[in-house]
């Protein structure tokens, strides 16, 4: 059974743009292109969640993280870490999933959505049972996490994917299977319980997985700062 840890933080409450010295060149370049303070805070918070994840899952970790985005936009860690990651942010929440095996993560804040969106996201079978905006956002997040896992992104229209059993995602325990247009399994997809947070959070993996959500605070950021100074000659 694959294990996945997800680290999340409220970006506006922590303002991770303070920690520029702990960020990679990749992130600094993204920050330079971000428009607006909220977008910058979300981007910086995602990087700090990556720092927290690596600090908890690698020995003698020293920020900044060493990774790159491949040609399909998938973040890939340097092989020396022996880990796979996926990043996401939505609303006020920034997240990083980390695992020893490939993983895809997506979070979407619950909000009103245009009714026409469902025709771009849902398969014919899903159109028959999707009856609420939050269910639509669930299915959107589930499919986005699968596309992040495979790295295919926009090359695969979401409506060509379908969950074999939406009720399994609602249980928060079992994984549903994400199927392609021919009914072949692409991934196992799990909804992550997040208490009262108004979000749909999903992870996708190639094997069944256990996943745990860790809500981070300022104390977790301070641990990364200590790692930086302790491992700096």
């Amino acid at each position: 059974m694959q294990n996945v840890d997800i680290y999340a933080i409220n970006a506006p409450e922590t303002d991770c743009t303070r920690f520029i010295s702990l960020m990679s060149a990749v992130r600094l370049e993204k920050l330079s292109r971000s428009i607006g303070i909220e977008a910058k805070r979300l981007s910086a918070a995602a990087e700090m969640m990556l720092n927290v994840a690596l600090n908890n899952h690698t020995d003698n970790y020293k920020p900044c993280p060493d990774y790159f985005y491949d040609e399909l936009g998938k973040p890939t860690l340097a092989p020396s870490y022996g880990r796979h990651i996926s990043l996401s942010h939505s609303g006020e929440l920034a997240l990083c999933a980390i695992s020893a095996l490939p993983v895809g993560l997506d979070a979407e804040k619950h909000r009103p959505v245009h009714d026409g969106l469902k025709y771009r996201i849902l398969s014919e079978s899903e159109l028959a049972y999707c009856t609420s905006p939050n269910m639509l956002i669930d299915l959107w997040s589930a499919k986005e996490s699968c596309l992040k896992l495979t790295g295919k992104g926009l090359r695969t229209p979401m409506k060509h994917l379908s969950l074999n059993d939406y009720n399994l995602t609602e249980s928060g325990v079992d994984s549903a299977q994400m199927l392609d247009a021919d009914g072949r399994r692409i991934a196992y997809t799990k909804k992550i319980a997040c208490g009262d947070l108004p979000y749909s959070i999903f992870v996708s993996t190639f094997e069944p997985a256990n996943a745990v959500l860790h809500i981070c605070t300022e104390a977790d950021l301070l641990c990364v700062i200590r790692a930086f100074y302790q491992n700096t000659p």
Side-chain angles (χ1 to χ4, degrees), residues 17 69 76 91 145 160 190 230:
T17 58
Y69 284 86
T76 304
S145 73
H160 291 175
K190 180 186 291 287
Q230 288 172 355

Side-chain angles (χ1 to χ4, degrees), residues 8-19 37-38 41-42 45 91-94 197 199 215-219 221:
I9 199 163
N10 184 301
E13 287 182 358
T14 51
D15 189 8
C16 292
T17 58
R18 297 173 290 159
F19 305 115
I37 186 61
E38 295 306 321
R41 285 176 175 172
L42 276 171
E92 297 79 37
L93 207 62
L197 292 175
Y199 288 85
I215 302 297
C216 297
T217 65
E218 191 83 10
L221 304 180

Side-chain angles (χ1 to χ4, degrees), residues 53-193:
L54 288 172
N55 193 45
N56 287 334
H57 290 267
T58 60
D59 295 329
N60 300 316
Y61 174 65
K62 177 188 173 182
C64 308
D66 184 6
Y67 71 107
F68 65 94
Y69 284 86
D70 66 18
E71 65 276 7
L72 297 176
K74 185 175 182 179
T76 304
L77 287 172
S80 58
Y81 292 123
R83 294 290 186 275
H84 297 263
I85 58 166
S86 187
L87 304 172
S88 185
H89 55 71
S90 178
E92 297 79 37
L93 207 62
L95 311 92
C96 174
I98 189 167
S99 182
L101 296 171
V103 61
L105 166 72
D106 189 67
E108 299 292 341
K109 188 173 184 179
H110 295 168
R111 59 194 185 276
V113 292
H114 191 277
D115 190 60
L117 185 65
K118 65 184 181 183
Y119 298 105
R120 292 172 44 202
I121 292 175
L122 304 182
S123 66
E124 290 187 10
S125 62
E126 290 165 341
L127 282 168
Y129 68 74
C130 183
T131 57
S132 72
N134 285 355
M135 188 181 293
L136 174 58
I137 290 175
D138 267 359
L139 292 164
W140 180 3
S141 181
K143 294 183 182 190
E144 189 73 37
S145 73
C146 180
L147 294 175
K148 287 184 174 182
L149 169 69
T150 62
K152 292 183 178 179
L154 296 177
R155 293 186 177 186
T156 302
M158 286 190 183
K159 66 181 181 180
H160 291 175
L161 306 177
S162 61
L163 284 175
N164 72 323
D165 190 342
Y166 174 78
N167 292 326
L168 288 181
T169 72
E170 283 293 273
S171 74
V173 178
D174 297 313
S175 297
Q177 293 182 29
M178 189 67 72
L179 309 177
D180 66 13
D182 296 319
R184 294 172 298 196
R185 185 183 73 232
I186 303 171
Y188 293 91
T189 302
K190 180 186 291 287
K191 185 176 183 179
I192 307 303

Side-chain angles (χ1 to χ4, degrees), residues 26-35 40 43:
V26 170
R27 183 59 53 181
L28 293 177
E29 194 274 333
K30 281 184 171 290
L31 286 171
S32 72
R33 293 188 284 107
S34 298
I35 299 174
K40 290 181 184 294
S43 182

